[in-house]
């Protein structure tokens, strides 16, 4: 087995044969104890995986990475919490790029990882706040690895195996993911925000490319993503005017 080259991420792993949701498990652990920073909850069989905005996360038993990592980003103000999103998204993007052609991998705002126009990984961050600081974060990550048939996971799922025709060693991949997560978390912690933000924008799906989007009322419009504001909202040029969208206000068409 490959050595794990980290200081803290993945040094403690709760390896569960089956669990409803690794995020739920991590949140319960946090409510009952003080797990060390970097503690991971990992399972081969997640039976009620949670996705963003109340959706579900499909994962065939034994085929994929489904895990959560506990962080204590108490150095981060609540108003800057999107930076944590950027760090975790960049870590998963770095990870996927190790195995696939770099040019095909991107981050679909806010934190889906795409290969071409297909989703390979999803991230669910759950923060607990004290006053205006972040006390703890559960970073839940689902990466499609060896699964080749998908029933429900929208939209347009893909996996490392579908992209390459190869089967991957999940243990080895997990160690490599822990290393990417630690590197990006430490980049954030050491205040190197600018390179992190530049990397995020440099990898953003449809950045600076005119494309079709859909408003929450169903209207389809053409716009160009121009950036992200301090709170992590999407900045777009729509008919020559800068417009800002929240997560629930816009869909990629
Ligand atoms: C999304 O794209 O909707 C986010 C999906 C996040 C899925 C992961 S799998 C491990 C962790 N535990 C959960 O219940 N969800 C996250």
């Amino acid at each position: 087995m490959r050595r794990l080259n980290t200081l803290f991420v993945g040094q403690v792993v709760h390896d569960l044969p089956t669990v409803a949701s690794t995020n739920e498990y991590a949140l319960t652990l946090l409510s009952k104890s003080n797990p060390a920073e970097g503690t991971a909850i990992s399972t081969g069989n997640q039976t009620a995986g949670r996705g963003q905005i109340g959706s579900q996360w499909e994962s065939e038993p034994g085929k994929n990475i489904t895990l959560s990592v506990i962080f204590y980003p108490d150095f981060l103000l609540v108003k800057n919490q999107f930076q944590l999103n950027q760090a975790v998204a960049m870590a998963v993007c770095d990870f996927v790029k190790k195995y696939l052609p770099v040019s095909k991998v991107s981050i679909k705002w806010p934190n889906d990882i795409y290969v071409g126009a297909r989703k390979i990984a999803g991230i669910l961050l759950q923060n607990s706040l004290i006053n205006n600081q972040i006390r703890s974060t559960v970073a839940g990550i689902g990466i499609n690895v060896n699964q080749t048939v998908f029933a429900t996971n929208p939209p347009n799922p893909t996996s490392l195996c579908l992209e390459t025709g190869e089967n991957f060693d999940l243990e080895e991949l997990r160690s490599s993911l822990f290393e990417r997560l630690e590197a990006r978390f430490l980049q954030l912690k050491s205040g190197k925000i600018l390179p992190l933000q530049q990397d995020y924008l440099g990898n953003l799906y449809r950045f600076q490319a005119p494309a079709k989007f859909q408003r929450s009322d169903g209207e389809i419009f053409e716009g160009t993503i121009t950036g992200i504001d301090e709170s992590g909202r999407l900045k777009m040029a729509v008919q020559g005017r800068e417009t800002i969208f929240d997560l629930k206000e816009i869909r990629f068409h």
Side-chain angles (χ1 to χ4, degrees):
M1 202 170 68
R2 182 177 172 281
R3 241 175 75 86
L4 173 61
N5 200 7
T6 64
L7 295 169
F8 58 99
V9 175
Q11 288 297 338
V12 177
V13 180
H14 296 241
D15 232 324
L16 311 172
T18 177
V19 70
S21 154
T22 56
N23 267 38
E24 288 297 329
Y25 189 98
L27 290 170
T28 307
L29 201 65
L30 273 165
S31 71
K32 292 189 180 153
S33 61
N34 290 308
E37 183 155 57
T39 295
I41 322 302
S42 178
T43 189
N45 186 16
Q46 183 169 250
T47 55
R50 296 179 50 178
Q52 286 163 20
I53 330 181
S55 63
Q56 294 199 338
W57 183 255
E58 175 196 340
S59 182
E60 193 182 329
K63 299 272 180 168
N64 302 313
I65 290 182
T66 42
L67 59 80
S68 304
V69 177
I70 294 170
F71 291 104
Y72 299 108
D74 48 10
F75 54 87
L76 209 58
L77 294 174
V78 173
K79 68 180 175 70
N80 293 330
Q81 60 184 298
F82 191 70
Q83 292 172 6
L84 197 58
N85 244 279
Q86 290 179 307
V88 176
M90 269 317 301
V92 181
C93 181
D94 293 339
F95 165 85
V96 174
K97 281 183 166 180
K98 270 182 72 174
Y99 305 97
L100 297 181
V102 167
S103 60
K104 289 184 77 183
V105 183
S106 64
I107 302 170
K108 181 167 159 262
W109 176 81
N111 54 18
D112 288 343
I113 308 302
Y114 264 50
V115 181
R118 292 179 180 275
K119 180 166 170 173
I120 196 162
I123 295 166
L124 179 65
L125 292 187
Q126 294 186 277
N127 296 334
S128 118
L129 314 177
I130 294 185
N131 303 319
N132 60 349
Q133 308 277 132
I134 302 176
R135 192 188 85 82
S136 63
T137 294
V138 171
I141 299 167
I143 305 175
N144 300 329
V145 179
N146 293 324
Q147 184 167 346
T148 53
V149 179
F150 292 85
T152 58
N153 185 1
N156 302 337
T158 190
S159 65
L160 289 181
C161 181
L162 279 174
E163 295 297 325
T164 61
E166 284 170 44
N167 264 280
F168 291 81
D169 179 328
L170 292 173
E171 279 280 311
E172 192 164 324
L173 260 53
R174 202 174 66 174
S175 296
S176 151
L177 176 63
F178 288 150
E179 288 163 13
R180 304 323 315 155
L181 280 168
E182 182 167 291
R184 288 293 180 175
F185 184 77
L186 291 178
Q187 182 180 36
L188 177 66
K189 190 168 181 172
S190 63
K192 299 194 182 88
I193 309 302
L194 205 59
L196 176 62
Q197 288 172 337
Q198 281 167 346
D199 285 351
Y200 181 87
L201 281 185
N203 283 284
L204 198 60
Y205 181 64
R206 292 189 178 168
F207 182 52
Q208 290 176 333
K212 290 224 164 78
F213 297 86
Q214 189 173 18
R215 293 183 203 270
S216 44
D217 64 5
E219 184 200 333
I220 292 170
F221 65 98
E222 196 172 281
T224 304
I225 298 174
T226 55
I228 305 288
D229 78 0
E230 323 66 64
S231 350
R233 295 177 305 174
L234 197 63
K235 290 203 274 190
M236 294 193 55
V238 183
Q239 290 179 335
R241 289 178 52 188
E242 183 173 279
T243 319
I244 292 187
F245 292 95
D246 234 324
L247 189 55
K248 289 188 182 128
E249 295 171 342
I250 190 170
R251 277 227 230 135
F252 290 64
H253 189 62

